[in-house]
Amino acid sequence: MAKAMTQKAAPGLGLDADLARKLLRDMLLIRRFEEKAAEAYALGKIGGFLHLSIGEEAVAAGATSVLRPDDYAISTYREHGHCLIKGSDPRRVMAELFGRVDGLSKGKGGSMHLFDKEHNFLGGHAIVGAHLPIAAGVGFAIKYRGGDQVVLCYFGDGAVPEGEFHEALNLAALWKLPVIWLCENNRYAMGTSLERALAQTEIWKFGETYGIPSEPVDGMDVLAVRAAVGRAVERARRDKTPALLEVRTYRFRGHSMRDPAGAVYRTKEEVEREKLRDPILLFRDRVLKPGVLSEDDVKKIEKDVNDLVDEAVAFADASPEPPASELFTDIFKESA
Amino acid sequence: MAVMTYREALNLALREELTRDPNVFVIGEEVGLYEGAYKVTQGLLKEFGPKRIVDTPIAESGFTGVGIGAAMVGLRPVVEMMTFNFALLALDQIVNSAAKLHYMSGGQYNVPLVIRGPGGPAHQLAAQHSQSMEVYFYHVPGLKVVRPSTPMDAKGLLKAAIRDDNPVIFIESETLYNVKGEVPEDPDFVIPLGQAVVRREGTDVTVVAYMGMMYRAMEAAEELAKDGISVEIVDPRSLQPLDTATIIGSVRKTHRAVVVEAGAGFAGMGSEIATEITEEAFDDLDAPVLRVTGAQAPMPYARNLERAKTPTKEKIADAIRRVCYANGSR
Ligand SMILES: Cc1ncc(C[n+]2csc(CCOP(=O)(O)OP(=O)(O)O)c2C)c(N)n1
Ligand SMILES: [Mg+2]
C-alpha cells in the first residue's frame, strides 16, 4: 500500500549484466533520439510542437521493462520514449516526426501522435487528461475478454486537476480494471508549478481517495521505477487492481522547443541541481562501480545507440512526404 | 413485418446485435437496472447480464472514453447518452479522440463505437433538455451522424451503425419513442448509412425534413394536396454521410425546394442542404431555396413559446406555398 517515503529499488531485484545493459541502452536511446530530434527541429526538418523527455528517461525504461509485448501502453504528447521502448522502430518514429510517409502513421500524426498497433502502443494524445478514460476503456476490454494483460497509462502532473483524471480513476477502481496510472510528475505543467495547480501536491494520495494502491516513486532511479511498476503490474495481472504511481522526475529542457530554456518559471539553479541526478549518469555509476558492466560495455552501448539514431535520421531524411491522396485516406475505415 | 413502436424497434436492434456479436455491449447511465431513462434498454440486463449491459456513474466524458478505448482494441460499444444534451460533457472525447484516432494513427486504430440517445425538441423540457444536437457533430470529419425518423429506420440504421467500423452519432427523439410502424423482423435487415429515402412522391416541390419535422411536413403536404400542390418529401436519415444525390435528384424533378430543421437555423443543416442544392442544381431551380428553421433562441418552457420556437405545420405549409408561387426572377 501507500508509503510516504520515496521507494528505493528493491535489493533482491537481481541486476544482472543483461538487464543493466538493456536499461542503460533504453535510456540512452531516448536521450540520443531526442537530442537528434532537437537538432532536426532547429534545421526545420521537424515542425509544430516538439516536447522532449530528456531527464525523464528512467520512467519509460524502467516501467516498460516489466511489461509483456501484449500489454498496452498509452501516453501524452511527450511520448517519444514511451513509444520507442515499447518496441517501435526508431526509424519509423523519426520519420513520423519528420512528417514522412514511412512514419508510423504515414506522417499524419507527428511527434504528439505516435501510434504503433504492432507494439500495442495506443498513442500519443495531446488533449491533457483525455486519454485517461480511454486507458480505462482498454482495461475494460481486457477484463471483458478475460485476458491478463495490463494497460500502462502515462500522464503528466498537469492532468491531475482535470476532471477526466478523477472520472477515470474512479471508474477503474469501481470496476477493478487492470490499469497502471503512472503520473510523470516533473513538477511543471508548462510554466505552472505543482504548487500553483493542486491543493494536494502529493499526487499519489489521490489513489487513497479512490481506494487503490498508490505510492510515490523516485523517477530518477530506473530500478526504483522498475520495482514499483513491477509490483503494480503483478497486482493488476493477478486481481485486476489498478494502481496510481506518482513517479517524481524532472525535465531538463523547456516544455517544448518553443520554450527552449524553461527559465521564466523556474531558476537556473534548480535546473542545474536536478541535473546532478541525471538518471543516466546515476545508473551508469551504479553499474560501473560494482563491475556489473565495464567501461567497454558502456562504450559499446553508446556506439550502438548512436548508430541506431543516425540511421533513424538518415531513414527519415530519405523518406518521401506522404502523397497528396493521403489527405483523404483514413478519415473513415472502409468496412470490409 | 411486425408493427411496433420506435422504442421497441431500437430495443430489438440492440437485442439482435448483442446476440449476433459477443463484442457488442451497452454502456451508460441507468441502462441496466433502471432499464433506460426512456426504456430503450428494457429487458436487456435480464437477458444479457451485467457484463454486456453496463451501468455507469454520472461521468459522460469518462464512460465515453471507456467506449473509445474498448473500441480501439476491438470491442463494439454502444454508449447511451441519457439525453444528447449531456454529450456536451463528452464532446472532447467524441471530437478530439473518437473522430480522429483512425486518421492520426494513419489507419492503424479504428473506433467502432455508437453513441445513441434522444435529442431535439421534446415536450416542455426547456432550454437544457431539448436541443437539436446534431449540429455539434456533423461538422467533424471522422464522425457519422444518423437521425432515424421511423421505427423501421430506427432498427435498420441502428444495426448498420453498430456494424460500422467508425464512430456513429445516433440521435433519437423523445417525441418519437411511442410512434408505431412496420418493422422487418429479419435479423439481417440493415439500412446502409448514407441513404436518403423519398417519404412521399410529388412533382411540384421537394421538402427535405427529418425526425419530427418530417412528420409535420407530411401533414403540410396532405393539406397542400387539397390545393393542388404536389409535395415530394425526402428524409435524409443520415446527415453524415449525406445522400445529396437523392436530394438533388428530387430537386431536378420538382425545380423547387424547402428545407426544414428543428434547430436554430444559423449555420444549420438547412443552410448546408440549401447550399448543396444551389451549388449542384442552380440551373434546375425555378425559385430560391427556402429554409424553415427553429427560432434563433434557446428553447423556452412555456407551451406557447415552445410552439413559437419550433417550425409548425403551418409555417412549413406557408414556405411551400411561397416557394411554389415564387419564380427565379424574385
Ligand atoms: C485540455 C488541454 N488544455 C491545455 C493544453 C495545453 N497544454 C499542453 S501541454 C500542457 C501542460 C501539461 O503538463 P503535464 O501534464 O504536467 O505534462 P508535461 O508537459 O509536464 O509532460 C498544457 C497546459 C492541452 N494540450 N490540453
Ligand atoms: Mg508536468
Side-chain angles (χ1 to χ4, degrees):
Chain A
M1 269 307 283
K3 296 195 185 62
M5 292 289 293
T6 296
Q7 277 288 322
K8 286 275 172 283
L13 199 67
L15 183 59
D16 60 31
D18 282 347
L19 178 61
R21 205 173 281 122
K22 176 183 157 45
L23 293 174
L24 186 60
R25 179 257 180 209
D26 285 354
M27 289 194 287
L28 276 168
L29 174 62
I30 300 171
R31 179 142 322 170
R32 291 289 169 271
F33 184 94
E34 291 200 328
E35 285 169 352
K36 283 287 177 196
E39 279 176 30
Y41 191 87
L43 294 172
K45 293 185 176 182
I46 297 173
F49 293 135
L50 181 71
H51 309 86
L52 305 180
S53 64
I54 289 176
E56 307 183 8
E57 296 91 339
V59 187
T64 315
S65 73
V66 293
L67 293 186
R68 296 193 318 225
D70 64 336
D71 288 328
Y72 297 95
I74 185 165
S75 184
T76 66
Y77 48 85
R78 197 183 300 286
E79 87 289 35
H80 307 147
H82 309 144
C83 181
L84 285 168
I85 306 312
K86 192 71 178 71
S88 297
D89 181 345
R91 298 177 308 166
R92 297 197 60 204
V93 179
M94 192 65 86
E96 188 62 32
L97 269 54
F98 276 47
R100 304 299 173 87
V101 74
D102 296 302
L104 289 173
S105 302
K106 299 181 276 185
K108 291 158 79 165
S111 158
M112 297 193 288
H113 306 300
L114 300 174
F115 292 82
D116 192 346
K117 193 168 186 180
E118 193 189 329
H119 294 99
N120 289 321
F121 189 73
L122 295 155
H125 299 258
I127 305 296
V128 172
H131 67 292
L132 276 75
I134 295 175
V138 176
F140 180 96
I142 292 169
K143 192 169 173 182
Y144 188 95
R145 293 210 174 103
D148 74 338
Q149 303 104 299
V150 303
V151 193
L152 176 63
C153 177
Y154 301 95
F155 56 95
D157 47 288
V160 178
E162 284 279 12
E164 283 172 315
F165 167 85
H166 299 274
E167 292 190 27
L169 258 71
N170 179 55
L171 290 175
L174 184 71
W175 293 338
K176 296 197 71 160
L177 305 177
V179 186
I180 317 300
W181 303 111
L182 193 160
C183 178
E184 293 186 295
N185 177 8
N186 58 14
R187 307 206 321 242
Y188 295 91
M190 293 183 71
T192 303
S193 67
L194 215 54
E195 293 72 26
R196 297 203 295 135
L198 284 170
Q200 169 57 272
T201 55
E202 301 271 317
I203 292 170
W204 64 274
K205 287 189 179 168
F206 288 107
E208 295 192 327
T209 303
Y210 296 105
I212 61 175
S214 60
E215 57 179 303
V217 183
D218 179 358
M220 296 313 215
D221 177 350
V222 68
L223 294 178
V225 175
R226 177 177 154 83
V229 179
R231 282 190 290 278
V233 165
E234 200 189 302
R235 216 186 290 111
R237 254 196 238 302
R238 201 181 48 233
D239 49 58
K240 304 277 175 280
T241 313
L244 172 63
L245 302 176
E246 178 197 340
V247 181
R248 294 174 176 169
T249 182
Y250 198 82
R251 66 170 153 72
F252 293 168
R253 303 288 184 101
H255 170 71
S256 75
M257 295 301 289
R258 298 184 182 185
D259 167 36
V264 289
Y265 50 86
R266 56 185 192 182
T267 63
K268 241 195 170 83
E269 291 72 38
E270 178 184 304
V271 178
E272 290 312 313
R273 189 172 66 241
E274 293 299 332
K275 282 185 179 171
L276 296 176
R277 298 203 69 232
D278 183 321
I280 298 180
L281 297 182
L282 285 184
F283 188 65
R284 198 167 58 181
D285 283 355
R286 195 152 162 197
V287 295
L288 281 176
K289 273 198 191 115
V292 180
L293 295 181
S294 67
E295 292 278 1
D296 283 349
D297 289 332
V298 173
K299 279 201 187 106
K300 168 140 181 25
I301 295 169
E302 284 175 343
K303 182 177 182 315
D304 289 350
V305 163
N306 288 346
D307 290 350
L308 197 60
V309 173
D310 287 345
E311 204 189 314
V313 173
F315 176 86
D317 249 333
S319 175
E321 291 182 324
S325 59
E326 280 295 337
L327 176 59
F328 295 111
T329 63
D330 307 319
I331 298 171
F332 292 109
K333 180 172 178 188
E334 302 301 330
S335 294
Chain B
M1 292 276 188
V3 173
M4 64 180 81
T5 64
Y6 185 98
R7 172 187 288 109
E8 288 162 344
L10 291 167
N11 182 274
L12 182 57
L14 289 170
R15 281 214 320 269
E16 286 177 1
E17 294 306 296
L18 282 158
T19 303
R20 185 184 62 81
D21 183 350
N23 286 328
V24 174
F25 68 98
V26 174
I27 181 169
E29 292 158 14
E30 310 292 1
V31 296
L33 202 56
Y34 192 88
E35 305 203 292
Y38 291 92
K39 305 299 168 207
V40 170
T41 55
Q42 198 153 40
L44 296 186
L45 178 65
K46 227 172 260 151
E47 192 171 343
F48 297 98
K51 180 186 160 189
R52 312 279 307 277
I53 311 298
V54 184
D55 276 325
T56 70
I58 306 163
E60 287 77 9
S61 183
F63 66 71
T64 301
V66 165
I68 294 168
M72 277 180 91
V73 295
L75 299 188
R76 304 187 85 86
V78 179
V79 172
E80 174 169 315
M81 287 294 161
M82 186 180 279
T83 85
F84 247 88
N85 304 280
F86 313 143
L88 290 176
L89 280 87
L91 196 59
D92 174 67
Q93 287 293 343
I94 298 168
V95 173
N96 272 320
S97 294
K100 307 229 182 357
L101 290 174
H102 191 248
Y103 195 79
M104 292 197 305
S105 70
Q108 295 181 79
Y109 285 105
N110 65 303
V111 182
L113 170 75
V114 176
I115 303 177
R116 54 150 291 275
H123 298 300
Q124 285 194 283
L125 296 186
Q128 293 181 335
H129 280 75
S130 47
Q131 308 174 71
S132 293
M133 298 299 295
E134 60 268 36
V135 292
Y136 296 96
F137 303 104
Y138 57 61
H139 188 72
V140 181
L143 295 180
K144 298 187 178 182
V145 181
V146 179
R147 298 238 48 199
S149 306
T150 67
M152 185 188 292
D153 285 3
K155 184 184 180 207
L157 290 166
L158 182 55
K159 287 167 69 82
I162 293 171
R163 296 180 189 192
D164 200 281
D165 283 331
N166 302 284
V168 181
I169 305 297
F170 191 94
I171 310 181
E172 304 151 10
S173 169
E174 280 103 325
T175 62
L176 298 183
Y177 282 138
N178 290 330
V179 167
K180 281 192 178 157
E182 295 212 315
V183 176
E185 285 167 298
D186 176 5
D188 288 324
F189 167 73
V190 167
I191 300 174
L193 306 186
Q195 287 186 6
V197 64
V198 176
R199 293 275 176 220
R200 176 194 170 99
E201 297 209 14
T203 52
D204 294 332
V205 53
T206 298
V207 174
V208 185
Y210 54 91
M211 308 301 281
M213 295 300 108
M214 185 277 287
Y215 291 96
R216 285 182 197 176
M218 292 288 266
E219 289 168 23
E222 282 304 315
E223 213 171 274
L224 290 164
K226 292 178 206 145
D227 299 346
I229 298 177
S230 166
V231 179
E232 175 144 309
I233 295 182
V234 179
D235 180 346
R237 303 199 283 199
S238 305
L239 305 181
Q240 184 58 257
L242 181 66
D243 180 1
T244 44
T246 297
I247 296 169
I248 301 295
S250 173
V251 173
R252 287 203 206 287
K253 183 177 84 176
T254 63
H255 309 292
R256 296 170 197 273
V258 173
V259 188
V260 191
E261 88 182 288
F266 189 87
M269 200 63 215
S271 321
E272 179 60 33
I273 293 174
T275 303
E276 299 265 357
I277 293 170
T278 309
E279 285 177 349
E280 295 283 318
F282 185 79
D283 291 339
D284 293 286
L285 286 173
D286 285 343
V289 182
L290 285 186
R291 286 181 297 157
V292 185
T293 75
Q296 193 71 28
M299 182 66 80
Y301 166 72
R303 197 167 290 154
N304 65 321
L305 295 180
E306 185 184 57
R307 213 173 294 128
K309 153 82 183 167
T310 312
T312 55
K313 177 185 78 176
E314 290 72 27
K315 282 185 203 159
I316 297 169
D318 179 56
I320 295 171
R321 281 202 183 88
R322 277 190 288 136
V323 85
C324 282
Y325 302 145
N327 61 49
S329 63
R330 189 183 69 159

